[in-house]
Amino acid sequence: MTEEQKPDLPEGKRIRKIRSYVKREGRMTKGQARAMEVYWPTMGLEHDMGRLDLTQVFGREAPVVLEIGFGMGKSLVEMAAAEPEKDFIGIEVHGPGVGACLMYAEELGVKNLRVFEHDAVEILADCIPDASLDRVQLYFPDPWHKKRHHKRRIVQPEFIESVRNKLKMGGVFHMATDWEHYAEHMLEEMSEAPGFTNTAEKDFVPRPDFRPLTKFEARGQRLGHGVWDLIFARNK
Ligand SMILES: C[S@@+](CC[C@H](N)C(=O)[O-])C[C@H]1O[C@@H](n2cnc3c(N)ncnc32)[C@H](O)[C@@H]1O
């Protein structure tokens, strides 16, 4: 029985029926597996840790940036290296991506990064304290092109509300996509969602310098896609 077909569960058992990803197969390289073995104990966070004390996790009080679906983690690690005065949390479901991220973090000597290998929707709900984040990043989320798959898109009212709860007042939700229809969908959902102000003069912001080129963005560029960035600030 698939997750989508599961019947009603006993009260208290929360289950999210439609997920924004399909778990890809794919083995870790030796280097990724080694990075997991060596660095997971210090950099890995687990869903069953429950609600985190972020000051304890990082051993200091600093602004916290959270990235959802970091892929192979290259741009996330580069951002963490570029802003050592901030702390970063990455969430990704693809195991080899998490391994690659830890490997690259080691290479750049990044210390201000922790990662989850889990569904970001559940991590937001169960592990991230309310009003604790300065920025949430969602770069090139799976666009789910086909209409019948649109329900899988992660940017939905319930998800937006969860992001709002986790942001500090004035904190920002930064999204980027190379799929114009998804960009329009994001803009529409965010404009209708309560508690956010669009920081753009009109609709989209120019590509910010602080966002390194991600793997999917580079792929989009090769295919001749445009890129749309949205930055919305929490206002209540
Ligand atoms: C199209 S890729 C983009 C990766 C990266 N941000 C980039 O720009 O190169 C989308 C990523 O989001 C991850 N993902 C999708 N839904 C997720 C979820 N609910 N929680 C965590 N990761 C998720 C996928 O596994 C995939 O690696």
Side-chain angles (χ1 to χ4, degrees), residues 71-236:
M72 303 304 271
K74 189 165 178 292
S75 64
L76 173 62
V77 171
E78 283 167 10
M79 290 180 95
E83 293 188 294
E85 71 288 355
K86 296 192 172 116
D87 290 324
F88 287 75
I89 299 175
I91 315 174
E92 174 54 60
V93 284
H94 185 52
V98 177
C101 179
L102 294 190
M103 233 172 114
Y104 195 40
E106 173 200 11
E107 207 178 306
L108 296 200
V110 160
K111 301 273 177 261
N112 54 336
L113 173 65
R114 301 289 181 275
V115 293
F116 281 100
E117 183 182 339
H118 200 89
D119 184 345
V121 172
E122 290 182 1
I123 297 300
L124 278 180
D126 302 333
C127 303
I128 305 298
D130 285 351
S132 63
L133 304 175
D134 292 78
R135 188 164 80 220
V136 173
Q137 307 180 162
L138 178 68
Y139 297 155
F140 305 90
D142 300 293
W144 294 107
H145 304 108
K146 292 184 185 151
K147 192 143 198 249
R148 69 191 154 91
H149 287 150
H150 283 184
K151 56 183 184 294
R152 282 187 175 274
R153 287 178 168 174
I154 197 164
V155 181
Q156 306 282 353
E158 206 185 321
F159 172 75
I160 296 170
E161 179 57 8
S162 172
V163 169
R164 185 177 74 89
N165 283 329
K166 303 304 161 182
L167 283 171
K168 290 180 188 160
M169 210 53 71
V172 296
F173 183 20
H174 182 188
M175 283 156 278
T177 180
D178 66 344
W179 190 248
E180 189 169 10
H181 292 123
Y182 202 8
E184 281 160 7
H185 168 87
M186 287 170 172
L187 182 63
E188 205 175 295
E189 295 290 349
M190 288 302 297
S191 305
E192 280 171 16
F196 280 103
T197 307
N198 191 352
T199 68
E201 266 179 39
K202 191 178 179 302
D203 299 347
F204 302 100
V205 294
R207 188 188 188 290
D209 292 341
F210 66 80
R211 183 166 65 70
L213 193 72
T214 80
K215 188 174 168 222
F216 272 78
E217 184 173 14
R219 179 179 157 274
Q221 280 183 350
R222 285 196 299 275
L223 296 171
H225 296 178
V227 171
W228 292 265
D229 279 85
L230 301 90
I231 302 185
F232 279 71
R234 179 177 181 183
N235 64 18
K236 69 172 190 280

